[in-house]
Amino acid sequence: MQNQIKFDELVKKVADAKKSGTFDLSRDEDLSIGIMNLISLEEHFFFTGEKTQKPEYFDMVNEIRAMRKELLGKMIDKHEGETWCICKHLLASSMRMMEVGTKLQNDGKKDEAKQLFDYSYKLYTIFWGLRLKLLDMPQVKEMAKDDKAWSLKDIVDKLVNCCDE
């Protein structure tokens, strides 16, 4: 019964956010994936700079980082504690789990790939829970202990759809 009440509260928050027109979730999903790729670009320019010992790659890290900060700022407007960095790392981790899952899938390791895809999506749903202010940090800690994120997952599945134009 308690979980149903929490789920109903989340559904109401989502409905209120949709009615207010505060979020263009289709656009924001695309933007979140773009931010994931910017984080990856920062990493690639860093490693390439180290491997080649060419400082111009480190200059590109700064340019990419500036873009990423600006765009993430359009998605995360209120900073409580370290929510900014938490959101950045949720996106980065989600992207990496997805990439490793894709490589495992390509190697025929479908069960291992599926596990990483599930982890990736769970991290992504936590990001959206924070982004939409459906969660606060105590709830994120709770979700890390068990699978309560999947109630949030159901909501994100229905709301965040890049194909919904």
Side-chain angles (χ1 to χ4, degrees):
M1 182 67 175
Q2 184 68 12
N3 282 344
Q4 184 61 41
I5 292 169
K6 286 182 181 180
F7 184 78
D8 292 344
E9 289 171 7
L10 285 174
V11 170
K12 184 177 178 343
K13 284 182 182 180
V14 169
D16 291 346
K18 282 182 86 173
K19 283 180 192 172
S20 73
T22 310
F23 300 106
D24 179 341
L25 296 174
S26 175
R27 180 203 66 213
D28 287 355
E29 183 184 20
D30 287 343
L31 184 56
S32 71
I33 300 297
I35 291 167
M36 285 180 181
N37 282 288
L38 289 172
I39 294 167
S40 289
L41 281 169
E42 287 179 66
E43 295 166 355
H44 286 297
F45 279 117
F46 164 76
F47 284 115
T48 300
E50 282 297 317
K51 290 175 183 177
T52 64
Q53 292 299 299
K54 293 182 178 177
E56 57 268 25
Y57 287 105
F58 299 117
D59 295 336
M60 289 304 300
V61 170
N62 290 335
E63 286 188 45
I64 299 299
R65 184 173 188 270
M67 275 187 249
R68 190 251 313 147
K69 285 172 51 179
E70 178 184 335
L71 294 171
L72 190 57
K74 292 176 187 263
M75 296 194 78
I76 308 299
D77 59 347
K78 181 182 175 209
H79 306 301
E80 175 180 276
E82 296 189 11
T83 54
W84 171 275
C85 284
I86 290 165
C87 287
K88 175 183 73 172
H89 290 291
L90 284 166
L91 288 175
S93 297
S94 177
M95 176 65 120
R96 285 289 171 232
M97 295 298 119
M98 187 188 328
E99 287 186 1
V100 172
T102 301
K103 289 176 183 178
L104 288 167
Q105 180 85 9
N106 190 54
D107 291 343
K109 298 177 180 177
K110 292 185 179 196
D111 291 339
E112 291 176 64
K114 175 69 169 101
Q115 183 179 30
L116 284 167
F117 291 151
D118 289 347
Y119 288 155
S120 174
Y121 199 70
K122 187 170 186 176
L123 293 168
Y124 194 60
T125 62
I126 294 170
F127 164 79
W128 277 100
L130 291 172
R131 162 72 176 104
L132 296 173
K133 295 178 179 65
L134 299 173
L135 297 173
D136 56 27
M137 287 316 297
Q139 288 172 302
V140 171
K141 274 178 111 173
E142 253 327 280
M143 288 178 355
K145 292 182 203 171
D146 59 36
D147 280 342
K148 290 181 184 174
W150 299 119
S151 293
L152 178 63
K153 176 194 174 295
D154 293 337
I155 293 171
V156 172
D157 285 347
K158 290 177 179 65
L159 284 178
V160 182
N161 180 357
C162 68
C163 299
D164 184 18
E165 304 213 15

